[in-house]
Amino acid sequence: MEPLRLIIRLPSWCEQEERVGTVYPTALDRMRLVVELAARNVEEGSGGPFGAAIFGASSGRLLSVGVNSVVRLNNAMLHAETVTLMRASARLERFSLAPADGGNGGELVELYTSCEPCAMCLGAILWSGVRRVVFAARRDDAERLGFDEGPVFPETFAYLRRRGIRVESGPLRDDARKLMERYRAVGGAIYNG
């Protein structure tokens, strides 16, 4: 029996558009990128309405991107956030993105995502070394669509804050919410509802 190999590829349209090293100077620029990734994922039929990216906190330099790939690759772990975390770790050849561990050249990194992270993604973020998460749509927007965001409580965010991780809402909530509605309109799969 051949050993199992796990290959996680972005859709071909996304690999062509990934601009690692490009500087996105503002929070709005960074959020525009992740919402555009999520929109393209829906329009191409390659996954759910979620996109994410990791940037250097002070430089705004793009380190990695991810899009939801759960249905396309038949893997419940492949949310946009976990995909971009795995890609950043692979690029840096490190299990932690924290600057104390070598991280991104000693720079703190931030995760921008088109929707507030679910329970699984918050767990991955905790161990990743990311110190700030900025999201567009909120968990209740995803839940209205039918997604189950898992056991996330006020205590969850208090714990993350104690561990030095900020999770905060950012710009473009309406754009991300409309994208979710578009996903439902085109019959996108609600895979954990």
Side-chain angles (χ1 to χ4, degrees):
M1 176 181 248
E2 213 175 299
L4 180 65
R5 290 183 57 202
L6 178 63
I7 298 172
I8 301 168
R9 286 199 174 106
L10 293 175
S12 59
W13 64 261
C14 191
E15 291 189 37
Q16 295 165 358
E17 290 189 1
E18 187 170 1
R19 297 173 295 265
V20 170
T22 302
V23 173
Y24 293 80
T26 69
L28 184 58
D29 295 328
R30 296 170 196 181
M31 193 61 77
R32 273 192 191 118
L33 174 64
V34 299
V35 171
E36 287 170 12
L37 288 167
R40 185 84 187 265
N41 210 32
V42 171
E43 294 309 315
E44 295 286 340
S46 51
F50 308 106
I54 295 178
F55 300 90
S58 59
S59 69
R61 191 168 313 283
L62 179 64
L63 181 59
S64 69
V65 300
V67 292
N68 178 278
S69 300
V70 170
V71 174
R72 182 174 57 84
L73 296 177
N74 294 310
N75 187 319
M77 302 324 126
L78 298 182
H79 291 199
E81 297 92 339
T82 57
V83 170
T84 197
L85 289 169
M86 287 187 272
R87 291 178 61 79
S89 289
R91 180 163 284 114
L92 295 174
E93 298 180 335
R94 303 194 61 77
F95 63 84
S96 175
L97 305 176
D101 298 324
N104 183 28
E107 182 179 16
L108 290 172
V109 295
E110 301 177 327
L111 172 69
Y112 277 71
T113 181
S114 62
C115 188
E116 186 174 352
C118 70
M120 177 186 71
C121 292
L122 287 171
I125 289 162
L126 172 66
W127 303 120
S128 72
V130 167
R131 291 294 166 242
R132 180 174 179 235
V133 178
V134 183
F135 60 87
R138 296 193 180 137
R139 68 179 278 125
D140 57 324
D141 299 326
E143 288 172 344
R144 272 195 292 281
L145 195 68
F147 286 103
D148 180 352
E149 296 300 282
V152 179
F153 310 104
E155 295 84 6
T156 305
F157 295 103
Y159 180 81
L160 291 171
R161 279 191 302 277
R162 285 193 305 274
R163 295 289 303 269
I165 302 167
R166 296 179 1 228
V167 180
E168 55 196 58
S169 65
L172 302 182
R173 180 182 182 193
D174 286 341
D175 292 21
R177 189 173 27 204
K178 287 176 187 170
L179 176 58
M180 289 181 187
E181 292 166 6
R182 171 83 178 124
Y183 180 71
R184 179 179 14 211
V186 299
I190 307 298
Y191 46 80
N192 67 343

